[in-house]
Amino acid sequence: MRRRSFLSLGTAGVCSVLAGCGDEPEGFNLRDVPSGPIVLGFSQVGSESGWREANTASIKKAAERNRITLKFDNAEGDQKKQIAAIQSYIAAKVNVIAFSPVVETGWDGVLRQARDAGIPVVLTDRLIETTDDSLYVSSIGAEFASEGNLAALYLENDYEDYSGHVNVVELLGTPGSSPTKLRTEGFRETASRHGKLRVMDSETGNWTVAGGETAMKKLLRRVKDIDAVFAQNDDMGLGAVKALQAAGKKPGTDVRIVTVDATRAGLTALVEGKLNYVVECSPEIGEQLMTVVVDLFFGGQVQKRVESQKAVFDSDSAADALPDRTY
Ligand code: AHR
């Protein structure tokens, strides 16, 4: 059994896995290079949004392209199911485990089990809260706080010539998940720095269109004079569009809406003028995951953090991007 340490790879992959970086006690005992195809056990959060469907498709396609045997489980938004799936991968002695954690906390126990079995773990899309970062070898995904910052910045720019305050409500993702927490922090940080946007209230919509619609209806009852909505994903933003239309308001005009994801559905609504800005969070991280997985066993550099693609769309750039949008 070869001893590998991944702890010190955090600063931009300064050394390769096979070259090794020393023998810190936190390091994994990585099992030998597989003689056949690498077996990857992947636990997906669920299928709550268009983004998630695209993410699942990207992972499956990239596994196939890279000749990696994928064991895939859909946890349907349930942490217990994710833990059970990870334990089943440990029992099956897969070569590597990856998962997108439904919530941030509660992973240390099962990740220690993986480490004791010599199986490296990669986080995809979302992050975990842990006192021991060496429990995972790499995390791949978006800078969620920056997405929140950008959403606030673009919205605020629209009100440059307006001297009053802008009343904003937020549609939040699943409580306890890293994108919910960090997008909220980012948005509020930029909003409070400049003082023009005022977050009046927020409600969870659990990442779904139906959840966003219900949440928006509640907010319309609770908050007078809503100027703008920050929906933490496209699906909830599209739900807000429905709720606003049902209330006799014109989304995108009477109430401005900024969302995160940039799915086809989101960009289409942006071109139609129902949304005002969409911050991209790319679900297409399958190839990045497979690169990390292959590098773990075949001598590449494994970086502790791998970032996905990011952009901000308005209606013009959305119209340009739509023909090539695959999700
Ligand atoms: O973790 C990424 C988020 O999860 C996406 O923004 C949302 O659509 C998804 O369900």
Side-chain angles (χ1 to χ4, degrees), residues 71-192:
K71 288 176 178 285
F72 183 91
D73 183 77
N74 180 340
E76 293 161 351
D78 183 342
Q79 185 178 30
K80 285 199 189 94
K81 283 192 185 164
Q82 281 206 292
I83 291 175
I86 293 169
Q87 285 170 333
S88 77
Y89 297 145
I90 296 170
K93 298 185 169 29
V94 300
N95 302 114
V96 48
I97 292 170
F99 75 114
S100 176
V102 60
V103 290
E104 281 189 319
T105 54
W107 301 104
D108 284 16
V110 72
L111 296 189
R112 277 199 198 99
Q113 291 168 24
R115 179 158 72 185
D116 292 347
I119 302 175
V121 174
V122 181
L123 303 180
T124 66
D125 162 33
R126 298 183 180 178
L127 299 164
I128 61 169
E129 209 178 282
T130 177
T131 50
D132 184 359
D133 281 344
S134 72
L135 288 171
Y136 60 92
V137 294
S138 182
S139 74
I140 303 164
E143 297 307 308
F144 296 131
S146 157
E147 293 166 350
N149 277 306
L150 288 168
L153 188 69
Y154 274 72
L155 189 57
E156 193 181 75
N157 284 347
D158 275 1
Y159 293 92
E160 211 177 15
D161 301 327
Y162 176 64
S163 56
H165 288 114
V166 179
N167 294 339
V168 186
V169 295
E170 285 174 316
L171 297 178
L172 310 177
T174 312
S177 69
S178 60
T180 301
K181 186 177 140 194
L182 294 169
R183 286 174 188 163
T184 303
E185 281 174 16
F187 189 88
R188 289 181 182 219
E189 182 193 47
T190 296
S192 66

Side-chain angles (χ1 to χ4, degrees), residues 45 47-52 100-101 124-126 144 147 174 177-180 183 206-208 232-235 260-261 263 281:
V45 175
S47 41
E48 72 282 0
S49 62
W51 190 99
R52 189 63 56 195
S100 176
T124 66
D125 162 33
R126 298 183 180 178
F144 296 131
E147 293 166 350
T174 312
S177 69
S178 60
T180 301
R183 286 174 188 163
N206 274 317
W207 305 120
T208 66
Q232 294 188 342
N233 79 344
D234 288 349
D235 294 65
V260 182
D261 275 358
T263 56
C281 171

Side-chain angles (χ1 to χ4, degrees), residues 29-325:
N29 284 318
L30 181 62
R31 286 203 306 240
D32 290 335
V33 174
S35 49
I38 298 171
V39 180
L40 163 67
F42 185 84
S43 167
Q44 181 59 286
V45 175
S47 41
E48 72 282 0
S49 62
W51 190 99
R52 189 63 56 195
E53 304 282 357
N55 180 246
T56 293
S58 166
I59 285 159
K60 288 185 173 171
K61 190 171 156 200
E64 209 180 314
R65 220 184 65 76
N66 289 275
R67 313 273 192 281
I68 287 168
T69 303
L70 179 68
K71 288 176 178 285
F72 183 91
D73 183 77
N74 180 340
E76 293 161 351
D78 183 342
Q79 185 178 30
K80 285 199 189 94
K81 283 192 185 164
Q82 281 206 292
I83 291 175
I86 293 169
Q87 285 170 333
S88 77
Y89 297 145
I90 296 170
K93 298 185 169 29
V94 300
N95 302 114
V96 48
I97 292 170
F99 75 114
S100 176
V102 60
V103 290
E104 281 189 319
T105 54
W107 301 104
D108 284 16
V110 72
L111 296 189
R112 277 199 198 99
Q113 291 168 24
R115 179 158 72 185
D116 292 347
I119 302 175
V121 174
V122 181
L123 303 180
T124 66
D125 162 33
R126 298 183 180 178
L127 299 164
I128 61 169
E129 209 178 282
T130 177
T131 50
D132 184 359
D133 281 344
S134 72
L135 288 171
Y136 60 92
V137 294
S138 182
S139 74
I140 303 164
E143 297 307 308
F144 296 131
S146 157
E147 293 166 350
N149 277 306
L150 288 168
L153 188 69
Y154 274 72
L155 189 57
E156 193 181 75
N157 284 347
D158 275 1
Y159 293 92
E160 211 177 15
D161 301 327
Y162 176 64
S163 56
H165 288 114
V166 179
N167 294 339
V168 186
V169 295
E170 285 174 316
L171 297 178
L172 310 177
T174 312
S177 69
S178 60
T180 301
K181 186 177 140 194
L182 294 169
R183 286 174 188 163
T184 303
E185 281 174 16
F187 189 88
R188 289 181 182 219
E189 182 193 47
T190 296
S192 66
R193 189 175 317 137
H194 303 136
K196 182 163 276 180
L197 304 180
R198 281 201 174 155
V199 180
M200 307 299 287
D201 204 346
S202 57
E203 185 68 45
T204 182
N206 274 317
W207 305 120
T208 66
V209 175
E213 185 178 358
T214 307
M216 190 68 221
K217 283 183 176 161
K218 287 184 190 167
L219 290 165
L220 281 165
R221 283 196 291 272
R222 292 209 298 260
V223 183
K224 268 177 54 143
D225 302 327
I226 297 174
D227 297 309
V229 178
F230 171 41
Q232 294 188 342
N233 79 344
D234 288 349
D235 294 65
M236 294 190 292
L238 296 172
V241 166
K242 289 184 177 192
L244 288 164
Q245 286 169 334
K249 294 183 190 293
K250 200 169 174 204
T253 305
D254 297 336
V255 176
R256 301 192 145 254
I257 306 177
V258 56
T259 68
V260 182
D261 275 358
T263 56
R264 279 193 74 78
L267 295 187
T268 303
L270 184 54
V271 172
E272 290 169 352
K274 293 173 186 162
L275 304 180
N276 300 83
Y277 295 105
V278 175
V279 182
E280 183 183 41
C281 171
S282 177
E284 297 197 314
I285 52 178
E287 278 301 330
Q288 287 166 307
L289 170 60
M290 300 315 152
T291 299
V292 166
V293 164
V294 170
D295 285 348
L296 276 169
F297 297 98
F298 295 99
Q301 294 191 344
V302 176
Q303 302 195 7
K304 190 75 182 180
R305 179 71 185 156
V306 179
E307 281 172 28
S308 58
Q309 190 177 302
K310 179 172 68 183
V312 182
F313 290 97
D314 61 12
S315 58
D316 288 342
S317 51
D320 289 343
L322 260 175
D324 298 325
R325 208 68 177 169

